[in-house]
Amino acid sequence: MSTKSTRVLVLTCSTRPGALGPAVGQWLIETITPSAARLGVELVPVALGDLNLPFLNEEEHPSSGVYRHEHTRRWSAIVDAADGFIVVTPEYNYGMPATLKNALDYLSREWAWKPIGFVSYGNTSAGTRSVQHAKQVVTTLRLVPLGATVAIRIGDATENGRLRPDAARDTAGVGLLDELVRVAHALRPMRERARAGALSGPLPGSYARPLTPDDAAEVTVLQRCCWVDEAVVNDTTAIPALHESLQEVRDWLAAWRTTGTWLDGRLLGMVRARRVDTDWHVGRLAVVPDLRGQGLGRWLLRRAEAAAQPDCRRILLYTGAKSQRNIDLYHSEGYQSMPLVGPDGTACLTKGLPVGQR
Ligand SMILES: Cc1cc2nc3c(=O)[nH]c(=O)nc-3n(C[C@H](O)[C@H](O)[C@H](O)COP(=O)(O)O)c2cc1C
């Protein structure tokens, strides 16, 4: 679970000249912008009419991710980068407009495990039949529709093609965004597991992915928790991992190649690595206390080793001189202790890289 901002696309579906949709979309954006700032949400307005999507003309099924046309690749990138959607939709003939159905059909995994909320408008039913229709379709794509909704009866709400001010509608719009953000956060672990670059982790249901500066909060918590044991056995609190600020963690996450393993949004362990001259430095190997002894640390260590650049000659790592549990793990993985103990009480261990990996 990273702390990066939540990106919400606001999709205006109608494309007719003189349509009411843009006015509804504009009201929504103006109304929820202050809440979006408070919630760390980036609102991205998108008019489906501006995408120039013809009726679906890709040869392959969208689940293949094979897109021949530039318009599909562009749409895929926009949806992929989003964490959630608010659809501003009219009701056409008791259903959703064809523009929305077409835009949904173009893609597949880009939609998965993201919340979708609806602002509908229409005559007698205020567009709610359009929303019911859309809900059946979006669940097939693993989009998660919200319970919160805004439904606007055109006859009551408009004057000269514009929306009349309505405090209750404003409150409903803000409530929709609020629920969307909460669901987007809750679904983030589901999305991360499915995202490119993530691979299955060593424990059932776990996954591993590169950590970035956006993960600094979780990393800070993990290392403060894990290095307390090191402080106790080595009888010192002069351990950088215990003291680093959020900004310092952010900085090193940008400079090191770090892998984290996750389960349901919880960071279970991590390891970082980088090249220094011809050495491959590995460090900050950490596993949450309740899951130690299950092979997670060994798995992370091997991943860090496997990432060593081909011309590196050896792997170097440091641990507390009295951290016997760590030292035993490293010895069992083929590391040898260097004779000297560092002035800060650390032991250095090294392992030559196999020729094939150099
Ligand atoms: C093709 C078409 C079908 C419509 N069908 C319905 C309908 O089933 N129910 C309804 O309440 N309004 C319906 N309307 C009226 C629309 O709600 C109203 O025209 C609205 O402004 C359409 O949204 P737009 O202006 O953004 O295109 C329909 C309008 C059009 C153009």
Side-chain angles (χ1 to χ4, degrees), residues 14 16 19-21 90-94 121-125 129 154:
S14 55
R16 298 183 309 122
L20 183 62
E91 176 173 304
Y92 288 165
N93 297 314
Y94 285 30
Y121 53 97
N123 292 325
T124 40
S125 74
R129 289 171 298 210
I154 296 173

Side-chain angles (χ1 to χ4, degrees), residues 219-356:
V219 169
T220 305
V221 170
L222 179 68
Q223 54 181 26
R224 291 213 180 156
C225 140
C226 289
W227 267 270
V228 166
D229 289 351
E230 299 303 299
V232 171
V233 292
N234 289 283
D235 197 21
T236 175
T237 54
I239 298 176
L242 278 179
H243 299 279
E244 280 168 350
S245 67
L246 202 57
Q247 188 54 48
E248 286 167 327
V249 172
R250 238 180 234 129
D251 292 345
W252 74 247
L253 280 168
W256 289 74
R257 187 181 169 136
T258 309
T259 301
T261 49
W262 302 79
L263 182 65
D264 296 335
R266 181 185 181 206
L267 182 60
L268 305 181
M270 66 171 179
V271 65
R272 72 181 189 183
R274 73 171 172 187
R275 183 197 180 107
V276 179
D277 300 326
T278 55
D279 292 334
W280 188 245
H281 282 233
V282 171
R284 298 293 165 99
L285 181 62
V287 174
V288 289
D290 56 311
L291 293 176
R292 291 186 186 149
Q294 298 192 36
L296 204 49
R298 198 177 292 279
W299 187 88
L300 282 162
L301 179 62
R302 289 179 182 175
R303 286 217 63 77
E305 292 173 355
Q309 289 167 357
D311 56 337
C312 285
R313 297 162 68 90
R314 60 177 185 171
I315 302 171
L316 273 185
L317 52 78
Y318 298 85
T319 190
K322 295 183 189 159
S323 302
Q324 201 52 50
R325 191 187 160 104
N326 299 352
I327 292 169
D328 289 347
L329 167 71
Y330 298 136
H331 284 168
S332 74
E333 287 291 309
Y335 286 80
Q336 293 183 337
S337 296
M338 303 278 272
L340 291 176
V341 172
D344 54 355
T346 53
C348 178
L349 293 101
T350 183
K351 175 175 171 179
L353 276 164
V355 176

